[in-house]
Amino acid sequence: MAEVTLLSLPASPFAMSVKMALIEKGVEFATVEENYRASGKSELLVKVNPVTKQVPVLLHRAKPIWESLVILEYVEETWKAQGTQLLPGDGYQRALARFWSNFVITKTGLLIMKRVGDEQLKARDQVLEMIRLMDSEWSKPEYGKPFVFGDKLSLADLALAPIASWKVTFETLGKFEFPDARTCPRMALWLDAIENHPTVQSAILAPDLNLENANIIQKLIKDNKIKF
Amino acid sequence: MAEVTLLSLPASPFAMSVKMALIEKGVEFATVEENYRASGKSELLVKVNPVTKQVPVLLHRAKPIWESLVILEYVEETWKAQGTQLLPGDGYQRALARFWSNFVITKTGLLIMKRVGDEQLKARDQVLEMIRLMDSEWSKPEYGKPFVFGDKLSLADLALAPIASWKVTFETLGKFEFPDARTCPRMALWLDAIENHPTVQSAILAPDLNLENANIIQKLIKDNKIKF
């Protein structure tokens, strides 16, 4: 097995964030793509992550690291001297980067995807409220642009960047359009920069493939065959 | 206002963890205790944390830091040279510390408290399963004892240490007893060390006061007057 191996799942936004971090750091890595639908969880995944049994798992010299934000911190620390610095140099900005990376996951994450019907529209409204909040906060002087803290990707950007793959899916399922430059100028600037960043482009699943996957999973949720 | 001020709530386990971190670091701090029940959220809280409007908030030189795990990292970084080192020196153990501190909050946290009836008993079973998992994992060679990584408190201990205040409440509401030394020897050793640690004792709300608060809140949940 390679010195650095990532257990991933093609549509997992959490795995996409880790891929981006490794690319930004210039770390060579092998990828093992899980396929839950075809065959359930792999023996390897259950063996290296007996606690949550979820991707992403980073195997570094055979030691497993679990949970995307924990892995992002580990990548930044382990390869500190090379590639992009994923945490700002300023201590207060580091705290803000950690806050936002956790916020987008715990406060909304994949809610639109996990719900159906009216609950899905409620989740959509919650996501819209979050986008407005971010637009307002990220306009303050302690932040930069076009990314959250300036012209380089940080941990805060990486946690949210998989939206470049998921946006079409969210818009289609939630029956809405993401706020544009008139209503949320800061977020529109950020999203444009993210969607055009080569690291983001090379780490995400194509938006149409993502929607295709999502439609299959939505059908399984509606038929009560799976539950998040 | 003091150079370091903590906005807290007496029964908040997240605020308790931050208090412990500040005490372990030897940082002097003032505390402003919120009282949601008497008067709703304070103007100060809404002003310094417009995003989640929740405690704990650490004000350091008037800059607000939000979310307990983000604050713990900030405290460790800002006062790195003094008091207890809250993150292990080894990179892999640091990742494990971050994983467990997040796990106890996101995978169980206050589920027993937030539910009533059958849902509460389901949450109890989930907590028991988590304790068994921790007992098994923390017995592995990459961990120490009696605390998660040895004889000093780390971030992983601090996230879970408020159980010293909440245990009686969980046991009473969930109608169970925490696993003892026969079934979960590693957790029993840990809990004993935590309950007797002077920093933990001085940072928590007394267990009987915690239960009294919890009973009032449980009545509000049952009467549909509040919802988590």
Side-chain angles (χ1 to χ4, degrees):
Chain A
M1 186 161 278
E3 179 167 303
V4 181
T5 300
L6 178 67
L7 271 68
S8 175
L9 190 67
S12 164
F14 310 111
M16 290 178 204
S17 294
V18 173
K19 285 178 189 170
M20 291 173 202
L22 292 167
I23 295 169
E24 283 290 305
K25 282 297 192 184
V27 176
E28 278 188 41
F29 63 104
T31 307
V32 177
E33 294 284 357
E34 292 281 315
N35 184 347
Y36 295 166
R37 270 190 286 134
S39 50
K41 302 198 175 188
S42 74
E43 272 180 49
L44 177 64
L45 177 59
V46 175
K47 188 182 150 212
V48 299
N49 185 357
V51 175
T52 71
K53 303 177 187 70
Q54 286 175 335
V55 299
V57 178
L58 189 75
L59 290 168
H60 182 213
R61 296 178 183 150
K63 285 184 179 163
I65 299 120
W66 309 321
E67 294 293 318
S68 62
L69 295 184
V70 173
I71 299 172
L72 293 184
E73 293 269 359
Y74 182 86
V75 168
E76 171 59 18
E77 280 188 4
T78 305
W79 294 280
K80 197 162 186 51
Q82 70 186 64
T84 307
Q85 195 184 330
L86 298 176
L87 278 167
D90 173 72
Y92 184 57
Q93 288 186 323
R94 272 198 301 281
L96 292 172
R98 288 179 172 129
F99 171 79
W100 288 108
S101 61
N102 183 54
F103 181 81
V104 297
I105 291 175
T106 56
K107 302 292 177 190
T108 59
L110 295 168
L111 271 189
I112 294 178
M113 174 67 200
K114 292 178 178 180
R115 305 276 185 270
V116 292
D118 286 351
E119 291 295 315
Q120 194 166 56
L121 299 184
K122 261 192 244 171
R124 181 260 322 265
D125 293 343
Q126 196 174 329
V127 170
L128 279 170
E129 177 57 25
M130 181 188 75
I131 294 172
R132 279 183 215 111
L133 260 171
M134 290 195 293
D135 191 77
S136 145
E137 289 296 316
W138 295 4
S139 303
K140 293 181 175 174
E142 50 269 44
Y143 298 86
K145 57 186 175 184
F147 302 113
V148 183
F149 295 105
D151 58 1
K152 299 278 183 196
L153 292 172
S154 77
L155 207 126
D157 300 290
L158 297 188
L160 190 57
I163 198 73
S165 173
W166 276 86
K167 188 173 148 240
V168 170
T169 298
F170 287 151
E171 289 184 329
T172 308
L173 298 180
K175 302 184 181 65
F176 76 116
E177 278 182 25
F178 260 62
D180 63 14
R182 276 170 310 143
T183 50
C184 289
R186 178 68 192 88
M187 283 306 288
L189 181 74
W190 178 87
L191 188 60
D192 186 58
I194 284 290
E195 288 183 326
N196 289 298
H197 196 290
T199 295
V200 176
Q201 288 177 343
S202 68
I204 64 172
L205 184 68
D208 55 329
L209 289 179
N210 200 73
L211 178 60
E212 206 176 288
N213 269 332
N215 280 329
I216 296 170
I217 293 169
Q218 280 276 307
K219 189 167 173 352
L220 292 171
I221 298 175
K222 281 176 192 156
D223 296 346
N224 275 318
K225 289 193 179 151
I226 58 167
K227 199 179 166 181
F228 275 104
Chain B
M1 187 163 276
E3 180 166 304
V4 180
T5 299
L6 178 66
L7 272 67
S8 174
L9 191 66
S12 164
F14 311 110
M16 291 178 203
S17 294
V18 172
K19 284 179 189 169
M20 292 173 203
L22 292 167
I23 294 169
E24 283 289 304
K25 282 297 193 184
V27 176
E28 278 188 41
F29 63 103
T31 308
V32 177
E33 294 285 357
E34 292 281 314
N35 185 346
Y36 295 166
R37 269 190 287 134
S39 50
K41 302 197 175 188
S42 74
E43 273 180 48
L44 177 64
L45 177 60
V46 175
K47 188 183 150 213
V48 298
N49 185 356
V51 176
T52 71
K53 304 178 186 70
Q54 286 175 337
V55 298
V57 178
L58 189 75
L59 290 168
H60 182 213
R61 295 178 184 149
K63 285 184 178 163
I65 299 120
W66 309 321
E67 294 291 320
S68 62
L69 296 183
V70 174
I71 299 172
L72 294 183
E73 294 268 359
Y74 182 86
V75 167
E76 171 59 19
E77 280 188 4
T78 307
W79 294 281
K80 198 163 185 53
Q82 69 185 64
T84 307
Q85 195 184 330
L86 298 176
L87 278 167
D90 173 72
Y92 185 57
Q93 289 186 322
R94 271 200 300 281
L96 292 173
R98 289 180 171 127
F99 171 78
W100 288 108
S101 62
N102 183 55
F103 181 81
V104 297
I105 291 175
T106 56
K107 302 291 178 192
T108 59
L110 295 168
L111 272 188
I112 294 178
M113 174 66 200
K114 292 178 179 181
R115 306 276 186 269
V116 292
D118 285 352
E119 291 296 315
Q120 195 165 54
L121 299 183
K122 261 192 243 169
R124 182 263 319 267
D125 294 342
Q126 196 173 328
V127 170
L128 280 168
E129 177 58 25
M130 179 187 76
I131 293 172
R132 278 182 217 111
L133 261 171
M134 291 195 292
D135 190 77
S136 145
E137 289 296 316
W138 295 4
S139 303
K140 293 181 174 173
E142 50 269 45
Y143 298 87
K145 57 184 173 184
F147 301 114
V148 183
F149 295 104
D151 58 0
K152 300 278 183 196
L153 292 172
S154 77
L155 209 125
D157 300 290
L158 297 187
L160 190 58
I163 197 72
S165 172
W166 276 87
K167 188 172 148 240
V168 170
T169 298
F170 287 153
E171 289 184 329
T172 307
L173 298 180
K175 302 185 181 63
F176 76 116
E177 277 182 26
F178 260 63
D180 62 15
R182 276 171 310 146
T183 49
C184 288
R186 177 69 192 89
M187 283 305 288
L189 180 74
W190 178 86
L191 188 59
D192 186 58
I194 285 290
E195 287 183 326
N196 289 300
H197 195 290
T199 295
V200 176
Q201 287 177 344
S202 68
I204 64 171
L205 184 66
D208 56 329
L209 289 180
N210 200 74
L211 178 59
E212 206 175 288
N213 270 332
N215 279 329
I216 296 170
I217 294 168
Q218 280 276 307
K219 189 166 174 353
L220 292 171
I221 298 175
K222 281 176 191 155
D223 296 347
N224 275 318
K225 288 194 179 148
I226 59 167
K227 199 179 167 180
F228 275 103

